[in-house]
C-alpha cells in the first residue's frame, strides 16, 4: 500500500487504467503507442514504492533498471536498452528506468533511439529521478504525466507507518 498526496494515486491509476483499456490486456504488448510517466523528487519520497504499487495495481510484473549502472558502458548502452524493452514487451511488464538522469542526460546522442523505443513499446515506461535538472529538456516532451514527490509530512508519515506496521506489534506511547 502506497501513501501518496491527495489525488496523486487516483490520477496515476486513472491514467494507467485508461491506457490499459486501449491496449492489449495480455502480454506480449503490441508494438504501438507507449505511455511514459515521470516521477521525480528527493530520495526517500516514495518514487520506487509507487512504481512497485503501480505494477501491483495493474497486475503486471516490473522490469527495472538502475540507469547509473547501465550508463557505465555507453558502448553497449543501446543494446542493453533494446533488451530491456524486448523483455518488458514479452512479459507485459511495467518498465522502470530508475535514476534515469544517468541515461537521459543532456546531449546524449542515443536519446532519439531511446525515445523511439518508448513510443513504440506498447506498454508503460516509468522514468524515476532524484535530479530532474539533470535530464535533457527533450525528455519532457515524451512524458505524458509528471509527478514531483515532496518529503512526506507528519500525517503522511503516520499513514505510511500505519499501513506497514501490523496492528499486533505494540508501539510506544509517543509513536
Amino acid at each position: 500500500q502506497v501513501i501518496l498526496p491527495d489525488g496523486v494515486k487516483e490520477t496515476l491509476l486513472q491514467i494507467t487504467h485508461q491506457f490499459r483499456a486501449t491496449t492489449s490486456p495480455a502480454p506480449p504488448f503490441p508494438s504501438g503507442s507507449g505511455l511514459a510517466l515521470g516521477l521525480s523528487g528527493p530520495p526517500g519520497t516514495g518514487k520506487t514504492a509507487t512504481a512497485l504499487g503501480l505494477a501491483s495495481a495493474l497486475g503486471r510484473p516490473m522490469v527495472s533498471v538502475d540507469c547509473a549502472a547501465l550508463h557505465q558502458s555507453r558502448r553497449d548502452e543501446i543494446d542493453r536498452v533494446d533488451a530491456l524493452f524486448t523483455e518488458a514487451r514479452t512479459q507485459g511488464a511495467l518498465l522502470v528506468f530508475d535514476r534515469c538522469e544517468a541515461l537521459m542526460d543532456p546531449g546524449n546522442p542515443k536519446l532519439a533511439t531511446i525515445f523511439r523505443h518508448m513510443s513504440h513499446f506498447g506498454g508503460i515506461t516509468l522514468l524515476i529521478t532524484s535530479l530532474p535538472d539533470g535530464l535533457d529538456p527533450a525528455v519532457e516532451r515524451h512524458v505524458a504525466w509528471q509527478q514531483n514527490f515532496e518529503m512526506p509530512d507528519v500525517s503522511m508519515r503516520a499513514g505510511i507507518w500505519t499501513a506497514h506496521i501490523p496492528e499486533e506489534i505494540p508501539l510506544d506511547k509517543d509513536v
Side-chain angles (χ1 to χ4, degrees):
Q1 184 176 8
V2 179
I3 308 298
L4 297 171
D6 290 340
V8 173
K9 184 188 292 188
E10 294 78 12
T11 300
L12 180 58
L13 289 174
Q14 180 183 15
I15 290 167
T16 55
H17 286 297
Q18 182 178 6
F19 173 77
R20 193 171 150 198
T22 62
T23 61
S24 173
F29 282 136
S31 181
S33 296
L35 176 65
L37 307 172
L39 304 178
S40 63
T45 54
K47 300 178 300 293
T48 303
T50 298
L52 289 165
L54 179 59
S56 177
L58 294 173
R60 300 284 187 183
M62 186 171 92
V63 172
S64 182
V65 62
D66 177 349
C67 293
L70 178 71
H71 185 68
Q72 294 298 320
S73 172
R74 281 222 184 201
R75 264 185 327 150
D76 59 349
E77 190 174 67
I78 287 299
D79 291 339
R80 291 180 182 180
V81 169
D82 288 342
L84 288 165
F85 277 100
T86 299
E87 180 182 349
R89 182 179 295 111
T90 301
Q91 292 185 29
L94 175 69
L95 179 55
V96 178
F97 286 96
D98 200 1
R99 298 197 295 175
C100 69
E101 67 277 356
L103 182 63
M104 299 182 171
D105 56 320
N108 182 344
K110 298 172 182 158
L111 275 177
T113 302
I114 295 166
F115 294 148
R116 191 168 36 260
H117 275 297
M118 286 170 44
S119 67
H120 289 84
F121 171 41
I124 299 171
T125 304
L126 198 55
L127 306 177
I128 298 177
T129 183
S130 295
L131 303 169
D133 293 339
L135 296 173
D136 189 289
V139 172
E140 210 173 293
R141 292 191 302 271
H142 296 273
V143 173
W145 181 76
Q146 172 69 40
Q147 178 64 44
N148 185 48
F149 284 60
E150 302 290 334
M151 292 304 288
D153 62 18
V154 173
S155 67
M156 283 183 64
R157 286 194 305 271
I160 292 166
W161 286 112
T162 301
H164 296 285
I165 297 177
E167 290 181 23
E168 57 274 2
I169 294 180
L171 298 176
D172 200 81
K173 292 175 188 163
D174 66 343
V175 177

